[in-house]
Amino acid sequence: MHAIVWHGSGRGGPITPRGAGLFAAPPLFQFSAGETVGWDRRGDQFGGLSALLVYLAFAGGAWLVVSTQLPHRGVRWPSLVPGALLFGAGLLFVNVFNVYVTTRLVEDRADTYGALGIAAALLFSLVLVGRLILLSAELNASLDERRARRAWRGG
């Protein structure tokens, strides 16, 4: 998907074993972020706000590391930061949505839908995360194209 966004073709660049292995890193960061956020929220009166910022930093940082290993037209890592921030903020939104909306819907209708309702909720969350991955790549590629056009025009 990144190769298509950045190069217009699925053959845009190789995916290295290291890059594929880094896909295991975000779930570990997710777990670490969850534990850190929980500890931070219990720690002080401004724990909620700082917990959100910590989560954003963990999720965005993890995605930045992963996206440096995916095809990205050879741009340097600072050009990938806007997409990583978008991904972190979007993942935060998905988690908040899951906690406050999806969980309540599943609990209220557990007798009606049971395991199928839980599976549907999880699949919906995964679809949203997949869209976030695509949007982060598109944002970075668009910003890079805009920068290249400005440099080409001399302004």
Side-chain angles (χ1 to χ4, degrees):
M1 185 173 64
H2 267 66
I4 292 171
V5 169
W6 281 95
H7 301 285
S9 167
R11 293 190 245 164
I15 296 178
T16 63
R18 179 178 171 207
L22 280 175
F23 271 104
L28 295 175
F29 276 111
Q30 177 84 7
F31 178 74
S32 300
E35 289 301 312
T36 305
V37 164
W39 174 78
D40 199 23
R41 286 176 64 190
R42 291 184 295 272
D44 62 23
Q45 63 184 358
F46 296 109
L49 179 60
S50 62
L52 293 177
L53 294 175
V54 166
Y55 185 85
L56 180 65
F58 267 95
W63 186 248
L64 180 62
V65 169
V66 170
S67 62
T68 60
Q69 300 301 312
L70 295 171
H72 57 273
R73 215 179 320 173
V75 297
R76 296 183 41 168
W77 71 268
S79 298
L80 302 174
V81 170
L85 289 174
L86 174 69
F87 183 80
L91 198 59
L92 178 65
F93 171 76
V94 169
N95 283 333
V96 168
F97 181 80
N98 284 341
V99 168
Y100 292 109
V101 177
T102 306
T103 305
R104 293 204 177 139
L105 286 173
V106 169
E107 285 176 356
D108 291 344
R109 292 174 177 75
D111 294 336
T112 307
Y113 299 113
L116 289 177
I118 294 169
L122 288 172
L123 287 173
F124 180 65
S125 295
L126 291 173
V127 166
L128 291 177
V129 171
R131 296 292 179 171
L132 280 173
I133 291 170
L134 180 62
L135 283 173
S136 72
E138 287 178 347
L139 174 65
N140 288 336
S142 297
L143 291 175
D144 183 56
E145 287 174 12
R146 178 188 252 181
R147 240 176 277 142
R149 275 197 307 265
R150 282 187 187 162
W152 185 73
R153 285 190 229 153

